[in-house]
Amino acid sequence: MGAKRPLRFAIIGAGMSGILSAIKLREAGFDDLTIYEKADRLGGTWRENTYPGISCDVPSHLYSYSFEPNPAWSHRFSPGDEIQTYFEGVAKRYGVEGRVRRGEEVTRCAFERGRWRLETKSGRHDEADVVIAATGVLHHPNLPDIPGLDRFEGALFHSARWDHGVRLDGRRIGIIGTGSTAVQITSALVDRVAKLSLFQRTAQWIMPQENPAFGEAEKAEFRRHPETMRRLHGELARMFSVFSNAIVDASSPQMKQIEDTCRANLESSVRDPVLREKLRPSYRAACKRLIMSPDFYQAIQKPNAELVTEGIECAVPGGVRTRGGRLVELDVLVLATGFRADRFVRPMQVIGHDGLELDERWSQRPDAYLSISVPGFPNFFMLNGPNGPVGNFSLIEVAELQMAYILQLVELLRSGRCREISPSEEATRRFEVERTEAARNTIWATGCRSWYLDDRGIPAVWPWTFDRFREEMARPKLEAWVQVG
Ligand code: NAP
């Protein structure tokens, strides 16, 4: 075989996955790359989510790149600003920071004459042989359709657009939603505000989870012996595997144990039987994304906290009116109402072979072979794309495994084995059939509403064990891939 084909890469998004792809590409000897980032700062979800109390509910020593352990983590579950600092630090250390074009949103990406032509909002053009879409999973805020929100006279914002100019201390705060975000905000704010009203549409199961700080001696030990952190990373990954293997089998004994723990937490933590029943979900634990919290039940029982379970009728200038006609007076209203989980790379326009538009292909719902790539869109790969393992696992490990897989495909382009590679329609269809079939046996399909479910009510996630995901990512089955040129 002759000289290796030089390849140019465009990475879209400078969050956890975008930074990772640049590091891994350079490690593999690909240096011609640009990361396009629409914001003025990298960090992705950790740049955008700055609400009080934000932390990651995956232990920090697992929620770290495997090749870049961090002895400085302050807590078992460290706060968001530390995570943001970590990603910025890694990007700097690995020389990736200088490859990021900030303030450049890619609006169009078209495969023409064997290359991807990119266009940004500012009118810049670029070309690349390979595109890696690292555009994130939970990125577009879901804004609730509550009448009157525009008439509310207090401060109003979505949790992922926190307005730090708004004073909170001593004021009346309303929070809509009871997901991981709302629970973290509630615990962080209850002692600061005059009154906290949490608007609950659906109760949540809460897994008790302590969050101890690492002492100076432990951090020093991590610094002296990085292998201790690697061991810890491995142990945590194994523990999480047990958990993620349990949730894909709704009848497993481990699942029962998780449910028992959540139930015992509710029974033992909430004194008032009326409040306890309001907080008791009517579906199985982990059907919605399981919430980890050391202190949510304590927070919601504080005298200045109120759980509002009556439906919301509308917002009015002075607060929120419930369906029963009660006015909950508020100075600040936070929409902790989640994200539009099916948006993925959109609104970017992606045009593959024969003018095929990704948005059109995905008009019903997004699909992708192994969550990585779509038929007809050659040399276009996604990290943490549609239907991947997003259920209570470290998305960093997911992205690392996917990137190692993508690099094996890219190697086929570099070596000249082919010029274009995309999954076959048949392999993608078969994967979707098997995936949706298996998804019916998971805990997510046992009767609740959640962002895991697609428009048909089928969990849009990896429905098998994480071990199976690891195996699948180890080596591409080339018969599933169409190689051209
Ligand atoms: P979420 O889990 O989707 O929760 C959204 C909440 O808003 C739900 O309680 C939902 O009620 C409520 N809601 C939505 N529309 C509403 C409406 N029109 N009226 C009343 N209530 C409404 O969103 P999230 O809490 O932002 O979390 C999203 C995901 O982000 C999590 O599942 C997790 O994967 C990730 N996250 C992780 C961490 C972490 O620590 N790692 C922290 C925060 C978030 P229903 O339940 O009735 O639909």
Side-chain angles (χ1 to χ4, degrees):
M1 200 141 304
K4 289 189 169 178
R5 175 182 170 199
L7 293 172
R8 170 157 174 71
F9 291 81
I11 299 166
I12 303 171
M16 173 279 285
S17 314
I19 296 168
L20 170 79
S21 12
I23 293 172
K24 289 292 159 187
L25 284 171
R26 294 188 72 206
E27 216 173 80
F30 298 107
D31 211 32
D32 188 5
L33 62 92
T34 300
I35 310 182
Y36 286 93
E37 170 54 60
K38 67 179 172 181
D40 58 0
R41 202 177 163 192
L42 41 75
T45 208
W46 302 103
R47 176 198 64 232
E48 298 212 333
N49 286 276
T50 58
Y51 58 79
I54 183 167
S55 70
C56 181
D57 61 10
V58 174
S60 299
H61 282 281
L62 180 60
Y63 195 78
S64 311
Y65 295 123
S66 60
F67 53 88
E68 192 61 21
N70 175 21
W73 289 127
S74 67
H75 286 78
R76 183 183 291 165
F77 304 96
S78 298
D81 57 350
E82 263 183 56
I83 303 173
Q84 171 70 14
T85 305
Y86 169 78
F87 285 125
E88 287 181 318
V90 174
K92 200 176 246 164
R93 269 196 298 290
Y94 283 76
V96 163
E97 212 198 12
R99 307 307 187 89
V100 184
R101 283 241 165 93
R102 294 173 174 74
E104 287 283 10
E105 177 174 353
V106 178
T107 49
R108 188 172 191 270
C109 224
F111 194 71
E112 291 164 4
R113 298 181 304 282
R115 289 197 102 192
W116 284 99
R117 322 270 153 176
L118 285 81
E119 218 175 291
T120 70
K121 208 172 201 166
S122 69
R124 190 184 284 270
H125 291 260
D126 196 358
E127 287 185 18
D129 301 292
V130 179
V131 170
I132 297 187
T135 46
V137 187
L138 299 171
H139 180 59
H140 299 283
N142 170 45
L143 300 174
D145 192 12
I146 296 172
L149 279 179
D150 54 339
R151 286 189 294 133
F152 177 61
E153 284 174 354
L156 170 78
F157 44 84
H158 186 270
S159 56
R161 301 283 181 274
W162 197 272
D163 184 345
H164 291 277
V166 171
R167 187 169 60 82
L168 302 167
D169 298 85
R171 303 184 84 195
R172 299 162 302 178
I173 314 290
I175 303 168
I176 301 181
T178 50
S180 309
T181 302
V183 162
Q184 290 181 342
I185 298 172
T186 299
S187 296
L189 286 191
V190 72
D191 289 333
R192 287 177 54 187
V193 302
K195 181 152 185 239
L196 186 147
S197 305
L198 181 65
F199 295 88
Q200 170 185 288
R201 186 165 70 178
T202 311
Q204 290 271 12
W205 288 110
I206 311 280
M207 184 81 161
Q209 188 65 262
E210 291 308 317
N211 188 15
F214 288 111
E216 286 314 312
E218 276 171 298
K219 289 191 216 168
E221 167 71 13
F222 288 147
R223 266 191 299 275
R224 265 196 309 275
H225 302 289
E227 67 278 9
T228 319
M229 285 184 287
R230 288 206 183 87
R231 224 176 14 248
L232 186 55
H233 185 282
E235 279 165 24
L236 290 166
R238 275 189 294 281
M239 266 168 53
F240 261 65
S241 285
V242 172
F243 179 63
S244 49
N245 291 350
I247 50 185
V248 293
D249 178 3
S251 54
S252 62
Q254 291 86 348
M255 197 56 247
K256 167 135 190 0
Q257 210 176 334
I258 290 168
E259 291 182 298
D260 289 347
T261 308
C262 291
R263 199 170 301 110
N265 187 28
L266 176 66
E267 302 299 345
S268 64
S269 308
V270 183
R271 290 178 306 273
D272 172 9
V274 176
L275 179 63
R276 199 187 305 137
E277 289 322 301
K278 285 184 178 177
L279 286 167
R280 188 186 302 278
S282 57
Y283 54 88
R284 293 183 60 184
C287 180
K288 280 172 178 291
R289 158 117 178 177
L290 195 56
I291 293 182
M292 320 276 177
S293 174
D295 53 9
F296 169 69
Y297 286 145
Q298 285 72 18
I300 200 66
Q301 291 178 90
K302 298 248 166 129
N304 62 332
E306 177 192 23
L307 185 74
V308 183
T309 53
E310 239 178 74
I312 296 173
E313 174 75 32
C314 60
V316 294
V320 163
R321 194 173 297 287
T322 68
R323 291 215 182 100
R326 200 184 126 216
L327 171 65
V328 181
E329 290 181 295
L330 300 169
D331 303 307
V332 181
L333 179 57
V334 178
L335 309 174
T337 43
F339 299 85
R340 297 184 60 190
D342 65 341
R343 299 305 292 154
F344 288 99
V345 297
R346 292 172 284 187
M348 182 170 71
Q349 188 186 20
V350 183
I351 305 169
H353 264 311
D354 307 322
L356 177 67
E357 293 224 16
L358 191 59
D359 205 34
E360 212 174 293
R361 177 170 178 115
W362 284 359
S363 60
Q364 276 296 308
R365 67 196 69 90
D367 70 336
Y369 177 61
L370 294 176
S371 127
I372 278 181
S373 198
V374 183
F377 295 81
N379 309 351
F380 183 95
F381 306 111
M382 291 173 287
L383 290 173
N384 280 309
N387 309 318
V390 292
N392 292 77
F393 205 82
S394 165
L395 289 194
I396 298 188
E397 181 156 3
V398 172
E400 287 191 12
L401 291 165
Q402 290 173 329
M403 194 58 207
Y405 182 99
I406 292 167
L407 279 171
Q408 296 180 60
L409 300 176
V410 165
E411 200 49 54
L412 300 174
L413 301 173
R414 170 156 66 178
S415 68
R417 183 133 163 219
C418 61
R419 293 193 70 80
E420 297 177 12
I421 190 158
S422 56
S424 74
E425 199 62 75
E426 169 55 21
T428 308
R429 196 194 54 78
R430 197 162 353 105
F431 171 71
E432 265 307 277
V433 168
E434 288 170 11
R435 190 190 65 74
T436 47
E437 193 50 43
R440 293 176 206 278
N441 303 324
T442 63
I443 191 72
W444 306 301
T446 53
C448 68
R449 168 178 49 203
S450 80
W451 65 261
Y452 290 136
L453 303 180
D454 69 15
D455 56 306
R456 302 163 295 182
I458 299 176
V461 286
W462 182 263
W464 300 288
T465 64
F466 200 72
D467 295 334
R468 174 156 170 185
F469 182 70
R470 273 201 195 92
E471 279 162 29
E472 199 72 60
M473 288 297 106
R475 196 161 299 285
K477 295 187 178 102
L478 289 183
E479 62 276 17
W481 292 88
V482 181
Q483 301 176 49
V484 177

